[in-house]
Amino acid sequence: MFSIKVRNNIFLRLLLHKDAKAFFELMNRNREHLSRFMPRITETKSVEDTERVIALFLKQLSENNGFRAGIFVDDQLIGIAGLKYIDWLSLKTEVMYWIDKNYSDKGITTECVRKIIEVAFIQYNLNKVIIRMSVDNIGSIKVAEKCGLHFEGINRQDEMLSTGFTDICVYSILKEEHFKEVKILLSS
Amino acid sequence: MFSIKVRNNIFLRLLLHKDAKAFFELMNRNREHLSRFMPRITETKSVEDTERVIALFLKQLSENNGFRAGIFVDDQLIGIAGLKYIDWLSLKTEVMYWIDKNYSDKGITTECVRKIIEVAFIQYNLNKVIIRMSVDNIGSIKVAEKCGLHFEGINRQDEMLSTGFTDICVYSILKEEHFKEVKILLSS
Amino acid sequence: MFSIKVRNNIFLRLLLHKDAKAFFELMNRNREHLSRFMPRITETKSVEDTERVIALFLKQLSENNGFRAGIFVDDQLIGIAGLKYIDWLSLKTEVMYWIDKNYSDKGITTECVRKIIEVAFIQYNLNKVIIRMSVDNIGSIKVAEKCGLHFEGINRQDEMLSTGFTDICVYSILKEEHFKEVKILLSS
Amino acid sequence: MFSIKVRNNIFLRLLLHKDAKAFFELMNRNREHLSRFMPRITETKSVEDTERVIALFLKQLSENNGFRAGIFVDDQLIGIAGLKYIDWLSLKTEVMYWIDKNYSDKGITTECVRKIIEVAFIQYNLNKVIIRMSVDNIGSIKVAEKCGLHFEGINRQDEMLSTGFTDICVYSILKEEHFKEVKILLSS
Amino acid sequence: MFSIKVRNNIFLRLLLHKDAKAFFELMNRNREHLSRFMPRITETKSVEDTERVIALFLKQLSENNGFRAGIFVDDQLIGIAGLKYIDWLSLKTEVMYWIDKNYSDKGITTECVRKIIEVAFIQYNLNKVIIRMSVDNIGSIKVAEKCGLHFEGINRQDEMLSTGFTDICVYSILKEEHFKEVKILLSS
Amino acid sequence: MFSIKVRNNIFLRLLLHKDAKAFFELMNRNREHLSRFMPRITETKSVEDTERVIALFLKQLSENNGFRAGIFVDDQLIGIAGLKYIDWLSLKTEVMYWIDKNYSDKGITTECVRKIIEVAFIQYNLNKVIIRMSVDNIGSIKVAEKCGLHFEGINRQDEMLSTGFTDICVYSILKEEHFKEVKILLSS
């Protein structure tokens, strides 16, 4: 259905009601892996719960407040990525993503995040894209750095994980930085 | 943004808040042409009204009740097509579409409708797709026939146009007919 | 309480909260008989469910979208009849009805439907009244024909019954036809 | 449409959307007369406002919280009467009514109120019916007394009229009193 | 948190979500004592129910429709008092209160009610304050009389207690009476 | 009405509907002064708008999501302070405040913020209190530092002021830091 092409056979595709089963199974396969940095994933306990999550994703889109889409390789759902919210007063947004453990370390997340940053600056015409992650989430830090985001600082004890409070790294890229980088890429 | 590829440079793309201006201008360019068979189009009088229409389109999608998407040639919005509703009890739906007068008679509508029928039977797994149009809407009758729909009958004085009541043609295609036809196409 | 007199001791009476018990018992006595053509009746499983159904009936009336009323012989509830919706854009409506199996074949349904058609054309000033039923619902076809409706056509596999998809007969009567018929009746 | 017969050609009939014009004109003819004891009547300034009032009347009925109906002589709307609310915890209600000045002093109000009291005790099975009116509203006091209600007391400065605060008379009749009276009437 | 000082260590304090446990325990300790005149207290059966009750108290305040606050001695919750509603058309309100049985007969309720009456006349600028209680609730009658309210009358069988219908005493004080009394107090 | 005592004659008091006039006038006197760092203040253009703002403040409290209260010197409203939100998952909150220009530089804001921090840690039992302000808002930076918050970092171009994007300072204090500091204060 409705998708944004990332590369060849990789797509960001809006999840619909009919995708609830595949989405729930993806979460189940990755529950242990994901619950470390996403403790609330444990609240989605059935296909019915997952249908409600999908409805919330679409509601977010319809309210012009960002989106969460499935990461697909061909027709297989392997992760979720999107914009957690859009702050239309300050023209900023925050990227979120997670991927099946069997597909991590293949660069797919990085490419999806690059695409989403492009959507934020070009389609939504925003001024700032943020990524926030636990200081212990090395994989996510690498993604942010590969996507050209700059380290802004650390927010102390800023999120509660299942293991207790964690300090949070803040990364960001500004519109002016994004277009400078794109120009360099194009001219090289 | 999120789109379904129809052919080469033709896409069905979800309209977002940011598309309101282009959508309103498309309606303005076609107001006279469209108001004959779509009298309610006159209710959308400004970009703000159009933003509300787009929000309703996305709400429909989020409620799993069909969708209305923009028809795009490359990045230009030239029409609207989609599923007016989905009757999940009886597994049926109704296709709707309209196109800029400068792009009619080029087969674009037909290709979009074919794609939407495929979405209805394959993605949504429905049993019946309906198209309804005024007996005077020759263009729309041709689209339905080219897409393989069968004439079911005429509903007398069934819709109010700006010129008064009109009789409505009902066309439909069943899942079993769709797959038989696809098989013939594939085997030929 | 609030009622429309059909004939002598036959009334269409609005159901109130207090009628839930009688309504639920009526459904229970006719569950087998009704579930063939009204598969969703199985969803109403208790007096509490029935109270919610009655609240929906009254909400429909308050939204100017038709009504569903009880068919009463004196103070006994023996069926339900009304207008499923009112399409105020195209000035059309659809009649619905069902009756206790012990009271069928007595002409009561036909008289109630005649009264409802009169309400649609005279009180609501509509242009078209539709009745739709399964091709296998011989009783209902007879009611439509006795009430002067005209056969419009058949919608293929248009509703899901408990036994699978059924073709649906469409009958209708237009305002001009109704008043011509009334004039003939009056002048004869 | 849906009505309760009071006597011969006098009915309490539910007001529908289509009655808004007649209802607004009735208020307009009686605005001066009514605004003394019903200061809020001045808030209904157009047929559109009146449609909203009618929708509220029907919403009240659908919420099982009493009703307000039109008083009709044949097909002419001449007043409003009903139950302001139903207190289902304490099984009590309050009757309200007003009538066109040309129809006052003809006993119509009294007969409607008697019918409504009967509805409260028999249809809704309540325990107490209250009528409250300004100490200056002699007409209304007479209606309460003719209908067999008993004087309970005076609530000081209890309502704001357009002329300032007014003391309010409280009249009531209990279920046991109603049935005793009915028995006397029947046995006499 | 947010409180109105009544005297020394006695406060009316808004209950927040965090007070649910203490509030529920207070109700539990007084359930037998309270259920005589407040039969609905039995509906609050858990801390979660109590959180919902507190949310309703705050919603009432946010809708400018009165308030219910905790009676505190230092930091201990010992009762509830407030304004049941505010009738902004007629500028009247009704005081409610109940207190832990171990703290009754100490004059605390009387002082809280005096403070609330002052709030009604001075902060909200109302015209009339009502207190209603069962004719059998001697304690509550004493509070009303000590606070300078005047007996208005008895409403027969006006509330349903767990023991059946009860007659209700109505007490009230008008703004003019309140300020006259305050002047006497100040000048004495 | 409901207030938290800060010191002597300084209170944080919940704003009610009746305070709308005083609140609107306070905004009007400080519009120029405030609009630099609070550009949205220009959206509140009348007493009616201000009533809606007050209703939102109370709704926030009733949803257990923080509060905004008036800063009062005796009975005069001179500013607003509170908790912008409460993140119950990560047990953190953010303090907000502004004060009439005639009362700035008197230490009142600092004392109010200290009280609010105490409320956050003791009443709400949170783990982290944040204050964020423009790098150009020297007054606000001083308040944060005087209240014992620690500088966490700068978020680049993170808010849109009327003069364009501004970098934002982030200050915070953790529960453990708050109680250590209190212990030092008490033991000294």
Side-chain angles (χ1 to χ4, degrees):
Chain A
M1 295 279 302
F2 297 103
S3 51
I4 295 173
K5 185 171 178 172
V6 176
R7 172 177 53 90
N8 299 332
N9 60 340
I10 301 176
F11 296 90
L12 292 165
R13 192 171 292 161
L14 284 187
L15 296 179
L16 300 181
H17 199 266
K18 69 184 178 66
D19 299 308
K21 193 157 164 290
F23 184 14
F24 181 63
E25 287 168 359
L26 173 68
M27 284 191 281
N28 266 354
R29 284 196 305 275
N30 288 276
R31 218 168 265 281
E32 198 183 354
H33 159 62
L34 292 173
S35 64
R36 180 164 175 211
F37 296 121
M38 295 173 55
R40 297 191 65 191
I41 204 173
T42 56
E43 292 172 15
T44 309
K45 290 179 177 137
S46 64
V47 174
E48 289 67 36
D49 288 351
T50 311
E51 286 170 354
R52 276 189 286 275
V53 170
I54 289 173
L56 287 175
F57 285 4
L58 292 169
K59 186 159 177 283
Q60 181 194 10
L61 181 75
S62 76
E63 289 171 346
N64 201 25
N65 189 29
F67 62 87
R68 281 164 174 86
I71 304 172
F72 282 83
V73 173
D74 296 316
D75 279 337
Q76 194 182 352
L77 177 65
I78 62 158
I80 300 289
L83 299 174
K84 283 175 94 154
Y85 61 83
I86 298 177
D87 179 336
W88 285 105
L89 288 174
S90 296
L91 298 177
K92 64 184 179 183
T93 188
E94 184 182 333
V95 176
M96 60 72 63
Y97 46 85
W98 59 264
I99 199 163
D100 188 304
K101 60 181 178 296
N102 294 328
Y103 286 86
S104 62
D105 298 325
K106 294 187 195 308
I108 295 173
T109 312
T110 303
E111 288 187 85
C112 289
V113 171
R114 273 204 191 110
K115 189 72 197 176
I116 289 171
I117 290 170
E118 186 193 308
V119 163
F121 286 124
I122 295 184
Q123 301 286 345
Y124 285 120
N125 204 16
L126 299 174
N127 180 64
K128 181 178 182 180
V129 174
I130 299 163
I131 305 183
R132 294 165 47 91
M133 74 288 283
S134 167
V135 293
D136 298 326
N137 193 342
I138 308 302
S140 197
I141 290 174
K142 275 191 202 157
V143 169
E145 294 187 339
K146 277 196 222 154
C147 292
L149 281 84
H150 301 270
F151 177 70
E152 273 199 354
I154 286 177
N155 293 147
R156 304 176 308 151
Q157 298 190 17
D158 211 59
E159 273 186 35
M160 175 69 100
L161 303 188
S162 51
T163 50
F165 291 109
T166 186
D167 292 354
I168 293 290
C169 291
V170 184
Y171 279 82
S172 71
I173 181 166
L174 303 175
K175 184 187 235 175
E176 62 203 44
E177 294 166 348
H178 176 71
F179 285 109
K180 196 181 297 171
E181 196 177 305
V182 171
K183 213 182 285 176
I184 291 166
L185 281 174
L186 292 178
S187 65
S188 62
Chain B
M1 294 281 299
F2 296 103
S3 51
I4 294 173
K5 185 171 178 172
V6 177
R7 171 177 51 92
N8 300 331
N9 60 341
I10 302 175
F11 297 90
L12 293 165
R13 192 171 293 162
L14 284 188
L15 296 179
L16 299 182
H17 198 266
K18 69 184 178 66
D19 299 309
K21 191 157 166 289
F23 183 13
F24 182 62
E25 287 168 1
L26 173 68
M27 284 191 281
N28 266 355
R29 285 195 305 274
N30 288 276
R31 218 169 265 280
E32 197 182 355
H33 159 62
L34 293 173
S35 63
R36 180 163 176 211
F37 296 121
M38 294 173 55
R40 298 193 64 190
I41 203 171
T42 56
E43 292 172 17
T44 308
K45 290 179 178 139
S46 64
V47 175
E48 288 69 35
D49 288 352
T50 313
E51 286 170 354
R52 276 189 285 277
V53 170
I54 289 173
L56 287 175
F57 286 5
L58 291 169
K59 185 158 178 282
Q60 180 194 9
L61 181 74
S62 76
E63 290 171 345
N64 200 25
N65 190 29
F67 63 86
R68 281 162 173 87
I71 304 172
F72 283 82
V73 173
D74 296 318
D75 279 336
Q76 194 181 352
L77 177 64
I78 63 158
I80 301 289
L83 299 175
K84 286 175 93 154
Y85 61 84
I86 297 178
D87 179 337
W88 286 105
L89 288 173
S90 295
L91 297 178
K92 64 184 179 185
T93 188
E94 185 182 333
V95 176
M96 61 73 64
Y97 46 86
W98 60 263
I99 199 162
D100 188 303
K101 60 181 178 299
N102 294 328
Y103 285 85
S104 61
D105 298 325
K106 293 188 195 309
I108 296 173
T109 312
T110 303
E111 289 188 84
C112 290
V113 171
R114 273 204 192 109
K115 189 73 195 179
I116 289 171
I117 291 170
E118 186 192 308
V119 163
F121 287 126
I122 294 183
Q123 302 285 344
Y124 285 120
N125 205 17
L126 300 174
N127 181 64
K128 182 178 182 180
V129 174
I130 299 163
I131 305 183
R132 294 166 47 93
M133 75 289 284
S134 167
V135 293
D136 298 326
N137 192 342
I138 308 302
S140 198
I141 290 174
K142 276 190 201 155
V143 169
E145 294 187 339
K146 277 198 222 152
C147 292
L149 283 83
H150 302 270
F151 177 70
E152 273 200 355
I154 286 177
N155 294 146
R156 305 174 309 152
Q157 298 190 17
D158 210 58
E159 274 186 32
M160 175 69 100
L161 304 187
S162 52
T163 51
F165 292 108
T166 186
D167 292 355
I168 293 290
C169 291
V170 183
Y171 279 82
S172 70
I173 180 165
L174 304 175
K175 183 187 234 173
E176 62 203 43
E177 295 166 349
H178 176 72
F179 286 108
K180 198 182 294 170
E181 198 176 302
V182 171
K183 213 183 285 175
I184 292 166
L185 281 174
L186 291 180
S187 66
S188 65
Chain C
M1 295 280 300
F2 297 102
S3 51
I4 295 172
K5 185 172 179 172
V6 176
R7 171 175 54 89
N8 301 329
N9 60 341
I10 301 175
F11 297 90
L12 292 166
R13 192 171 292 160
L14 283 188
L15 297 179
L16 299 181
H17 198 266
K18 69 184 177 65
D19 299 308
K21 192 157 166 290
F23 184 13
F24 181 64
E25 287 168 359
L26 173 67
M27 284 191 280
N28 266 355
R29 285 195 306 276
N30 289 276
R31 218 168 265 280
E32 198 183 355
H33 159 62
L34 292 172
S35 63
R36 181 166 173 208
F37 296 121
M38 295 173 53
R40 296 191 65 189
I41 204 173
T42 56
E43 293 173 16
T44 309
K45 292 179 175 138
S46 64
V47 174
E48 289 69 34
D49 288 350
T50 312
E51 286 171 354
R52 276 189 286 277
V53 170
I54 288 173
L56 287 175
F57 285 4
L58 291 168
K59 186 159 177 280
Q60 180 194 9
L61 181 75
S62 76
E63 290 171 345
N64 201 25
N65 189 29
F67 62 86
R68 281 164 173 85
I71 303 172
F72 283 82
V73 173
D74 297 316
D75 279 336
Q76 195 182 352
L77 176 65
I78 63 157
I80 301 289
L83 300 174
K84 283 175 92 154
Y85 61 83
I86 298 177
D87 178 336
W88 287 104
L89 288 174
S90 295
L91 297 178
K92 64 184 180 184
T93 187
E94 185 182 332
V95 175
M96 62 72 63
Y97 45 85
W98 60 264
I99 199 163
D100 187 305
K101 60 181 179 297
N102 294 328
Y103 286 86
S104 62
D105 298 325
K106 293 187 194 309
I108 296 174
T109 311
T110 303
E111 289 188 86
C112 290
V113 172
R114 274 205 190 108
K115 189 73 195 177
I116 289 171
I117 291 170
E118 187 192 308
V119 164
F121 287 125
I122 295 184
Q123 301 285 346
Y124 285 120
N125 205 16
L126 299 174
N127 181 64
K128 181 178 183 180
V129 174
I130 299 163
I131 305 183
R132 295 164 46 91
M133 73 290 282
S134 167
V135 293
D136 298 326
N137 192 343
I138 307 302
S140 197
I141 290 174
K142 276 190 199 155
V143 169
E145 293 187 340
K146 277 197 221 153
C147 291
L149 282 84
H150 301 270
F151 177 69
E152 272 200 356
I154 286 177
N155 294 145
R156 305 175 308 151
Q157 298 190 17
D158 211 58
E159 274 186 33
M160 175 71 98
L161 304 187
S162 52
T163 51
F165 292 108
T166 185
D167 292 354
I168 293 290
C169 290
V170 183
Y171 278 81
S172 71
I173 181 166
L174 303 176
K175 183 186 235 174
E176 62 202 44
E177 294 166 348
H178 176 72
F179 285 108
K180 196 181 297 171
E181 198 176 302
V182 171
K183 211 181 287 175
I184 292 166
L185 281 173
L186 292 178
S187 65
S188 64
Chain D
M1 295 280 301
F2 296 103
S3 50
I4 295 173
K5 186 172 179 171
V6 176
R7 171 178 53 92
N8 301 329
N9 59 341
I10 302 176
F11 296 91
L12 293 166
R13 191 172 294 161
L14 283 188
L15 296 179
L16 300 181
H17 198 266
K18 69 183 179 65
D19 299 309
K21 192 157 166 291
F23 183 14
F24 182 64
E25 287 168 1
L26 172 68
M27 284 190 281
N28 266 355
R29 284 195 305 274
N30 289 277
R31 217 168 266 279
E32 197 182 355
H33 159 62
L34 293 173
S35 63
R36 180 164 175 210
F37 296 122
M38 293 172 56
R40 297 192 64 190
I41 204 172
T42 56
E43 293 173 16
T44 308
K45 290 178 177 140
S46 65
V47 175
E48 288 69 35
D49 288 352
T50 313
E51 285 171 354
R52 274 188 287 275
V53 170
I54 289 173
L56 287 175
F57 285 5
L58 292 169
K59 186 160 178 281
Q60 180 194 9
L61 181 74
S62 76
E63 290 171 344
N64 200 25
N65 190 29
F67 63 87
R68 281 163 172 86
I71 303 172
F72 283 82
V73 173
D74 296 318
D75 279 335
Q76 196 182 351
L77 177 65
I78 62 157
I80 301 290
L83 299 174
K84 284 175 95 153
Y85 61 84
I86 298 178
D87 178 337
W88 287 104
L89 288 174
S90 295
L91 298 177
K92 64 184 179 183
T93 187
E94 185 182 334
V95 175
M96 61 72 62
Y97 46 85
W98 60 264
I99 199 163
D100 188 303
K101 60 181 179 299
N102 294 328
Y103 285 86
S104 61
D105 299 324
K106 292 188 194 311
I108 296 175
T109 311
T110 303
E111 289 189 85
C112 290
V113 171
R114 273 204 192 111
K115 188 71 196 179
I116 289 170
I117 291 170
E118 186 193 309
V119 163
F121 287 125
I122 295 183
Q123 301 286 344
Y124 285 120
N125 204 17
L126 299 175
N127 180 65
K128 182 178 183 179
V129 174
I130 299 163
I131 305 183
R132 295 165 46 91
M133 74 290 282
S134 167
V135 293
D136 299 326
N137 192 342
I138 309 303
S140 197
I141 290 173
K142 276 190 201 154
V143 169
E145 293 187 339
K146 277 196 223 153
C147 292
L149 283 83
H150 302 270
F151 176 70
E152 272 201 354
I154 286 178
N155 295 146
R156 305 174 309 151
Q157 298 190 19
D158 210 58
E159 273 186 33
M160 174 70 99
L161 303 187
S162 52
T163 51
F165 291 108
T166 186
D167 291 355
I168 293 290
C169 290
V170 183
Y171 279 82
S172 70
I173 180 165
L174 303 175
K175 182 186 236 174
E176 62 202 44
E177 295 167 348
H178 176 73
F179 286 108
K180 197 181 296 170
E181 197 176 303
V182 171
K183 213 181 284 176
I184 291 165
L185 281 174
L186 292 179
S187 66
S188 65
Chain E
M1 294 280 300
F2 297 102
S3 52
I4 295 173
K5 184 171 180 173
V6 177
R7 171 176 55 89
N8 300 330
N9 60 340
I10 301 175
F11 296 90
L12 293 166
R13 191 170 294 161
L14 283 188
L15 296 179
L16 299 182
H17 198 266
K18 69 184 178 65
D19 299 309
K21 192 157 166 290
F23 184 13
F24 181 64
E25 287 168 0
L26 173 68
M27 284 191 280
N28 266 355
R29 285 195 304 275
N30 289 276
R31 218 167 265 281
E32 198 182 355
H33 159 61
L34 293 173
S35 64
R36 181 166 173 207
F37 296 122
M38 295 173 55
R40 296 191 65 189
I41 204 173
T42 56
E43 292 173 16
T44 309
K45 290 178 178 138
S46 64
V47 175
E48 288 68 36
D49 287 353
T50 312
E51 286 171 354
R52 276 188 287 275
V53 170
I54 289 173
L56 287 174
F57 285 5
L58 292 169
K59 186 160 177 281
Q60 180 194 10
L61 181 75
S62 75
E63 289 171 347
N64 200 25
N65 190 29
F67 63 86
R68 281 164 173 87
I71 304 172
F72 283 82
V73 173
D74 297 316
D75 280 336
Q76 194 182 353
L77 176 65
I78 63 157
I80 301 288
L83 300 175
K84 283 175 93 154
Y85 61 84
I86 297 177
D87 179 337
W88 287 104
L89 288 173
S90 296
L91 298 177
K92 64 184 180 185
T93 187
E94 184 182 335
V95 175
M96 61 72 63
Y97 46 84
W98 58 265
I99 199 163
D100 188 304
K101 59 181 181 298
N102 293 329
Y103 286 86
S104 62
D105 297 325
K106 293 185 194 312
I108 296 174
T109 312
T110 303
E111 289 188 85
C112 290
V113 171
R114 274 205 190 109
K115 188 73 196 177
I116 289 171
I117 290 170
E118 187 192 307
V119 163
F121 287 125
I122 295 184
Q123 301 286 344
Y124 284 120
N125 205 17
L126 299 175
N127 180 64
K128 181 178 183 179
V129 174
I130 299 164
I131 305 184
R132 294 164 48 90
M133 74 290 283
S134 167
V135 293
D136 298 327
N137 192 343
I138 308 302
S140 197
I141 290 174
K142 276 191 200 156
V143 169
E145 294 187 339
K146 278 196 220 152
C147 292
L149 281 84
H150 302 269
F151 177 70
E152 272 201 355
I154 286 177
N155 294 147
R156 306 173 309 149
Q157 299 190 17
D158 211 57
E159 273 185 34
M160 174 70 99
L161 303 187
S162 52
T163 50
F165 292 108
T166 185
D167 292 355
I168 293 290
C169 290
V170 183
Y171 279 81
S172 70
I173 180 165
L174 303 175
K175 182 187 235 175
E176 63 203 43
E177 296 166 348
H178 176 72
F179 285 108
K180 196 181 296 170
E181 198 176 302
V182 171
K183 212 182 285 175
I184 293 166
L185 281 175
L186 291 178
S187 65
S188 63
Chain F
M1 294 281 299
F2 297 102
S3 51
I4 295 172
K5 185 172 179 171
V6 177
R7 171 175 53 91
N8 301 330
N9 60 341
I10 301 176
F11 296 90
L12 293 166
R13 192 170 292 160
L14 283 188
L15 297 179
L16 299 182
H17 198 266
K18 69 183 179 64
D19 299 309
K21 193 158 165 290
F23 183 14
F24 182 63
E25 287 168 0
L26 173 68
M27 284 191 281
N28 267 353
R29 285 197 304 275
N30 288 277
R31 218 168 265 280
E32 197 182 354
H33 159 63
L34 292 172
S35 63
R36 180 165 175 209
F37 296 121
M38 295 172 56
R40 298 192 64 189
I41 204 172
T42 56
E43 292 173 17
T44 308
K45 290 177 176 139
S46 65
V47 175
E48 288 70 35
D49 288 351
T50 312
E51 285 170 354
R52 275 188 287 275
V53 170
I54 289 173
L56 287 175
F57 285 4
L58 292 169
K59 186 160 177 280
Q60 180 195 8
L61 181 74
S62 76
E63 290 171 346
N64 200 25
N65 190 29
F67 63 87
R68 281 163 173 86
I71 303 172
F72 283 82
V73 173
D74 297 317
D75 279 336
Q76 194 181 353
L77 176 64
I78 62 157
I80 300 289
L83 299 175
K84 284 175 94 154
Y85 61 84
I86 298 178
D87 178 337
W88 287 104
L89 288 173
S90 296
L91 298 177
K92 63 183 180 184
T93 188
E94 185 182 332
V95 175
M96 61 73 63
Y97 47 85
W98 59 264
I99 200 163
D100 187 304
K101 60 181 178 299
N102 294 328
Y103 285 86
S104 61
D105 298 325
K106 293 186 194 310
I108 296 174
T109 313
T110 303
E111 290 188 84
C112 290
V113 172
R114 273 205 192 109
K115 189 72 195 178
I116 289 170
I117 290 170
E118 186 191 308
V119 164
F121 287 125
I122 295 184
Q123 301 286 344
Y124 284 120
N125 204 18
L126 299 175
N127 181 64
K128 181 177 183 180
V129 173
I130 299 164
I131 305 183
R132 294 165 46 92
M133 74 289 283
S134 167
V135 292
D136 298 327
N137 193 341
I138 307 302
S140 198
I141 290 174
K142 275 190 202 155
V143 169
E145 293 187 340
K146 277 197 221 152
C147 291
L149 282 84
H150 302 270
F151 177 70
E152 272 200 356
I154 286 178
N155 294 146
R156 305 175 307 152
Q157 297 191 18
D158 210 59
E159 274 186 32
M160 174 71 99
L161 304 187
S162 52
T163 50
F165 292 108
T166 187
D167 292 355
I168 293 290
C169 290
V170 183
Y171 279 81
S172 70
I173 181 166
L174 303 176
K175 183 186 236 175
E176 62 202 43
E177 294 166 348
H178 176 72
F179 285 109
K180 198 182 295 172
E181 197 176 303
V182 171
K183 213 182 284 174
I184 291 166
L185 281 173
L186 292 179
S187 65
S188 64

